Amino acid sequence: VTINKGGIYNISGSFNHSILVDSSESVTLNLNNVNINSDITAAIANKGTGKMIINIVKETTNILKDSGYSEFDGCIYSSGSLVIEGSGILKVYGNQDEGEGIATTDADITINGGEIYIESNDDGLNAGGDNGGIITINNGNITIKANGDGIDSNGSLIINGGNVYTIGSSKGGDAGIDTDKSFEINGGTVIALGSDMIHNPDNSSKQKYVSFSLKEKINNNSKISLKQGSTEIINFTANEDFKTLIVSNSKITNGTYDLYVDGNKTSFSSKVK
């Protein structure tokens, strides 16, 4: 299905073909209980220059899967700027060879809301190209499990709010978050796990963070807790082995924070950055 005129389009139902957008105008796709399983290319691809807005309709669940190999190397791909908003559920599975979950080429990605889950064979959320784009997360609950970097921008990353849990491949050379330019955390809750790479937020960030580069990996399914003294700041269960960790939320101020694994205090501590 090809859309070549700007406007608002309501999408529902289950099908195996892709939605292709080819327009210089802004296109909004309202996803209303959509299930797309594309055999040969992206589930949704914008190959035009206009903005593509994906609105996840409230109280709906939308599942997007791709496979094969194509020029659109993300399950959701856009050559123009991409905006994701709404309050429904969006599950994205990037199954193409070296495929990504959500990707752009030299274009910005902005996430304003939604319950978003991404699994991918390569990077989970990627702003690629020679110059990259700016990935901005303003709100939403975002979970990423990638076989590459969790979030990778050839440009910059700005997290202003929402809940972000991102984990890169445990095989080596991948990070929970990797950017070529600036990286700021100004609000929200961020948990980023990686293998042997770590990219810490810039000093210009408005919200504080702690980070760990561990000598030995922590295993999948371990229960992780970050504490300052006896006060727990955050807890979660790791769904992949990891050796690097970044945590940021509004509870982190100054001081030293200790890492606990399965209820046991480790020798690893970190001072606020």
Side-chain angles (χ1 to χ4, degrees), residues 5 15 41 43 46 74 81 84 89-90 105 122 131 135 157-158 164 172 182 184 193 198 241 252 262:
K5 292 183 179 180
F15 42 91
T41 187
N46 172 24
S81 62
I84 299 176
I89 298 171
L90 176 62
T105 301
D122 197 356
N131 299 312
I135 299 176
L157 170 64
I158 303 170
V164 179
S182 61
E184 293 184 356
L193 290 73
I198 191 165
D241 298 347
I252 296 175
D262 294 329

Side-chain angles (χ1 to χ4, degrees), residues 20-159:
L20 300 180
V21 175
D22 188 6
S23 175
S24 60
E25 303 173 305
S26 178
V27 170
T28 298
L29 303 178
N30 290 330
L31 301 188
N32 187 349
N33 288 317
V34 174
N35 191 328
I36 301 176
N37 191 351
S38 174
D39 293 334
I40 58 174
T41 187
I44 297 175
N46 172 24
K47 60 181 183 178
T49 57
K51 176 189 296 185
M52 181 169 69
I53 301 170
I54 293 179
N55 176 45
I56 314 166
V57 175
K58 182 179 180 180
E59 298 180 351
T60 67
T61 297
N62 304 273
I63 301 173
L64 308 181
K65 298 179 181 180
D66 65 355
S67 59
Y69 180 82
S70 73
E71 61 181 305
F72 312 124
D73 61 352
C75 182
I76 298 176
Y77 171 84
S78 184
S79 57
S81 62
L82 173 64
V83 176
I84 299 176
E85 59 189 24
S87 59
I89 298 171
L90 176 62
K91 297 181 179 182
V92 178
Y93 298 89
N95 296 322
Q96 290 190 61
D97 292 340
E98 300 182 358
E100 293 161 342
I102 299 174
T104 61
T105 301
D106 292 322
D108 296 342
I109 300 173
T110 303
I111 298 178
N112 293 324
E115 196 87 23
I116 301 170
Y117 177 80
I118 301 171
E119 281 189 19
S120 59
N121 280 336
D122 197 356
D123 300 333
L125 183 62
N126 178 271
D130 294 334
N131 299 312
I134 301 173
I135 299 176
T136 304
I137 298 173
N138 294 316
N139 208 342
N141 296 312
I142 303 163
T143 301
I144 300 172
K145 186 176 181 181
N147 284 327
D149 295 317
I151 299 175
D152 186 355
S153 176
N154 288 3
S156 301
L157 170 64
I158 303 170
I159 300 175

